[in-house]
Amino acid sequence: MFERPQSGEKAILLHASPGGTPHLNEREEFVELAESAGAVIVDQLVSSRRRPDSRYFIGKGKLDEVQKSLGRHGAELIISSAPLSPSQERNLEKTLKCRVLDRAGLILDIFAQRARSFEGKLQVELAQLRHLSTRLVRGWTHLERQKGGIGLRGPGETQLETDRRLIGKRIRQLKERLEQVDARRTMNRRNRMRAEIPTVALVGYTNAGKSTLFNTLTEAGVYVEDKLFATLDPTVRKLELPDNGEVILADTVGFVRDLPHELIAAFRSTLQEAREADLILHLIDASDPNRWQRVRQVNAVLCELEADRVPQIRVYNKIDKLDRAPRLTNNQRGEGRAVWLSAATGEGIPLLLDAVGRRLSRKKIRGTIRLEVSQGRQRALLFDMGAVLQETGADDGGWLVEIELEEHDFHRFMKREKLSLNVLIEPQRDDSAVSA
């Protein structure tokens, strides 16, 4: 039986896709991922099979081609860009006599290399164990399983069952530790809310320049390198705005196409900074020819995190590579909608700070909220906040509550209480309020 080697960085990349031949930019990104993990790429093969084979994913002809390439280059690892089922990975390893990894496993390996903080290491280990729990059988093919029949019954618990039990126990321990970390993070977030300090979250596709911009704005000294997932650990710093206002700037982990669900689940508490933010700065690499595809992919992850309703400013970075001048475009209300800048040279940074300041200015919203009978808690909270101007009873037993509230406090209240903006009748914005 095949015994899996424990090391080996010489890799053959297998560009495959469930729908046929992968696009060129997808293949280029896959190469970057493999190089970021430290793989030495000795060959690249492209599979154009439209319908995956249930046993190997690739066809017999491509399998023979991979086997010949292994012998020719002495590679020890096959990395597939397509997601492989546990049985497909196992069958490929048995046939090719080498380690086989898919894209999700590759990203998990990169995250394991990059994690530095206690929380980051816990999150990565949790994601790896969740991924491994479905693939346990691959690592124990050399062990006899429990059998039935006279003379064939094994011990009370097989090695595979023991490992499954131990992994389940470790997953529970990691969840408990992460819940404790999340509780501290939530407490810090609540303290910032009580202090009325707005939070701004930096999000974007990996390698768009988030950490560079974060360092430029806050002088935090976050590690920066031109590679995918250079930094994983979230960093939070105070940022002074030109109008003497103060905000909390949070740098989050970079997104990528088809980010493994195990990672999204494990990093949910970290990415909660984006969900609970008052404003999101969506960083985009302006020099990337596929930037619109990247924008859609980031927005898809934000939607999955329920952060798609947070106000957003698009920040087009790396204009120094395009020889373009910095500029700012506004929406119909005169608020910053998009900023073109260079985080590396500092061009356009004043425009960004001005746009953030205007977006977070203390404008007031005045209108009437319709609350149901079951929403007495929300009614009491509005009174506690001093937001109620007048209240009348509704025909269905609910309330029509006229309120006046600062805009960011209003949106924060609606989001925290999971209220739809449809409950606000005749909204009016009071722009005469003095900005913070």
Side-chain angles (χ1 to χ4, degrees), residues 17-161:
S17 174
T21 306
H23 194 272
L24 178 61
N25 61 64
E26 294 180 5
R27 300 204 296 267
E28 290 174 348
E29 180 184 88
F30 188 52
V31 171
E32 285 188 70
L33 282 172
E35 291 176 343
S36 295
V40 179
I41 302 171
V42 295
D43 197 8
Q44 299 184 49
L45 302 175
V46 179
S47 174
S48 58
R49 188 181 180 91
R50 290 192 173 276
R51 184 173 296 176
D53 180 77
S54 60
R55 189 174 183 187
Y56 296 110
F57 190 90
I58 56 177
K60 185 70 168 61
K62 186 61 64 177
L63 187 65
D64 292 339
E65 188 178 345
V66 173
Q67 208 156 22
K68 291 177 183 177
S69 181
L70 279 169
R72 187 166 57 250
H73 298 285
E76 302 155 299
L77 175 65
I78 301 292
I79 310 178
S80 168
S81 64
L84 301 176
S85 68
S87 62
Q88 287 169 339
E89 286 190 16
R90 183 171 67 252
N91 293 334
L92 285 170
E93 287 191 341
K94 284 182 179 179
T95 303
L96 299 173
K97 302 293 188 295
C98 73
R99 287 185 300 142
V100 176
L101 203 63
D102 66 0
R103 191 172 184 275
L106 178 64
I107 294 176
L108 286 169
D109 184 81
I110 296 173
F111 271 56
Q113 294 180 41
R114 304 284 195 272
R116 294 291 180 269
S117 69
F118 174 71
E119 180 184 8
K121 291 177 180 178
L122 288 179
Q123 289 168 327
V124 171
E125 184 181 353
L126 177 60
Q128 286 181 312
L129 289 177
R130 281 173 169 165
H131 185 73
L132 179 64
S133 62
T134 62
R135 288 161 165 78
L136 267 180
V137 67
R138 293 173 50 224
W140 298 104
T141 52
H142 64 287
L143 294 175
E144 182 181 9
R145 291 197 182 186
Q146 197 169 8
K147 298 179 181 179
I150 297 174
L152 294 176
R153 293 187 180 92
E157 186 176 40
T158 65
Q159 182 67 56
L160 182 61
E161 290 168 341

Side-chain angles (χ1 to χ4, degrees), residues 236-301:
V236 177
R237 293 287 187 276
K238 285 186 178 181
L239 172 64
E240 297 289 339
L241 297 178
D243 61 355
N244 296 323
E246 191 177 70
V247 300
I248 297 296
L249 187 64
D251 185 19
T252 62
V253 64
F255 299 157
V256 72
R257 180 179 59 85
D258 298 330
L259 194 65
H261 290 289
E262 295 94 343
L263 278 176
I264 294 179
F267 279 77
R268 185 170 291 274
S269 62
T270 301
L271 296 171
Q272 191 81 353
E273 294 291 350
R275 180 180 174 180
E276 299 294 335
D278 297 281
L279 179 66
I280 286 178
L281 299 183
H282 182 171
L283 208 64
I284 302 165
D285 184 352
S287 64
D288 186 354
N290 304 307
R291 59 183 177 273
W292 297 119
Q293 184 181 359
R294 309 284 192 244
V295 168
R296 287 193 295 270
Q297 288 155 357
V298 170
N299 285 335
V301 177

Side-chain angles (χ1 to χ4, degrees), residues 198-200 241 247 278-279 355-362 408 436:
T199 301
V200 179
L241 297 178
V247 300
D278 297 281
L279 179 66
V356 171
R358 279 192 283 170
R359 272 297 186 98
L360 297 176
S361 61
R362 300 296 179 89
H408 78 280

Side-chain angles (χ1 to χ4, degrees), residues 179-426:
E179 285 174 2
Q180 295 172 1
V181 174
D182 186 40
R184 288 196 294 270
R185 187 183 293 277
T186 301
M187 183 176 65
N188 292 337
R189 194 181 298 120
R190 286 176 179 170
N191 290 336
R192 296 198 300 262
M193 290 174 65
R194 291 193 190 102
E196 297 187 350
I197 303 177
T199 301
V200 179
L202 272 176
V203 304
Y205 208 80
T206 183
N207 210 26
K210 294 189 308 303
S211 297
T212 302
L213 179 61
F214 189 82
N215 286 340
T216 301
L217 292 173
T218 65
E219 299 180 357
V222 173
Y223 175 72
V224 175
E225 189 172 342
D226 186 16
K227 62 182 179 183
L228 303 185
F229 302 118
T231 53
L232 291 184
D233 301 316
T235 310
V236 177
R237 293 287 187 276
K238 285 186 178 181
L239 172 64
E240 297 289 339
L241 297 178
D243 61 355
N244 296 323
E246 191 177 70
V247 300
I248 297 296
L249 187 64
D251 185 19
T252 62
V253 64
F255 299 157
V256 72
R257 180 179 59 85
D258 298 330
L259 194 65
H261 290 289
E262 295 94 343
L263 278 176
I264 294 179
F267 279 77
R268 185 170 291 274
S269 62
T270 301
L271 296 171
Q272 191 81 353
E273 294 291 350
R275 180 180 174 180
E276 299 294 335
D278 297 281
L279 179 66
I280 286 178
L281 299 183
H282 182 171
L283 208 64
I284 302 165
D285 184 352
S287 64
D288 186 354
N290 304 307
R291 59 183 177 273
W292 297 119
Q293 184 181 359
R294 309 284 192 244
V295 168
R296 287 193 295 270
Q297 288 155 357
V298 170
N299 285 335
V301 177
L302 289 175
C303 186
E304 187 171 348
L305 295 169
E306 300 178 359
D308 51 319
R309 293 187 178 182
V310 180
Q312 218 183 85
I313 295 178
R314 288 187 176 179
V315 182
Y316 294 90
N317 189 27
K318 305 185 183 181
I319 61 171
D320 50 306
K321 293 185 177 182
L322 302 174
D323 196 25
R324 289 187 180 179
R327 64 188 177 98
L328 166 68
T329 60
N330 297 322
N331 57 22
Q332 294 179 347
R333 296 196 297 266
E335 299 170 330
R337 180 180 64 87
V339 182
W340 279 258
L341 55 76
S342 170
T345 65
E347 294 179 281
I349 295 297
L351 294 176
L352 175 63
L353 294 176
D354 180 63
V356 171
R358 279 192 283 170
R359 272 297 186 98
L360 297 176
S361 61
R362 300 296 179 89
K363 297 176 182 177
K364 290 189 176 181
I365 284 182
R366 181 171 179 172
T368 301
I369 284 185
R370 184 190 300 275
L371 296 177
E372 305 294 334
V373 179
S374 59
Q375 294 176 313
R377 176 178 175 276
Q378 286 77 12
R379 172 177 172 268
L381 286 173
L382 288 171
F383 273 99
D384 289 343
M385 295 167 67
V388 178
L389 299 178
Q390 186 177 346
E391 179 188 73
T392 56
D395 295 336
D396 59 357
W399 304 275
L400 295 175
V401 185
E402 185 181 350
I403 64 166
E404 184 179 76
L405 202 60
E406 290 178 352
E407 186 174 23
H408 78 280
D409 289 336
F410 169 77
H411 287 292
R412 184 181 294 172
F413 170 79
M414 300 294 279
K415 182 170 58 177
R416 187 178 66 241
E417 299 302 319
K418 298 180 180 179
L419 295 176
S420 170
L421 292 176
N422 295 331
V423 301
L424 185 63
I425 308 170
E426 301 173 358

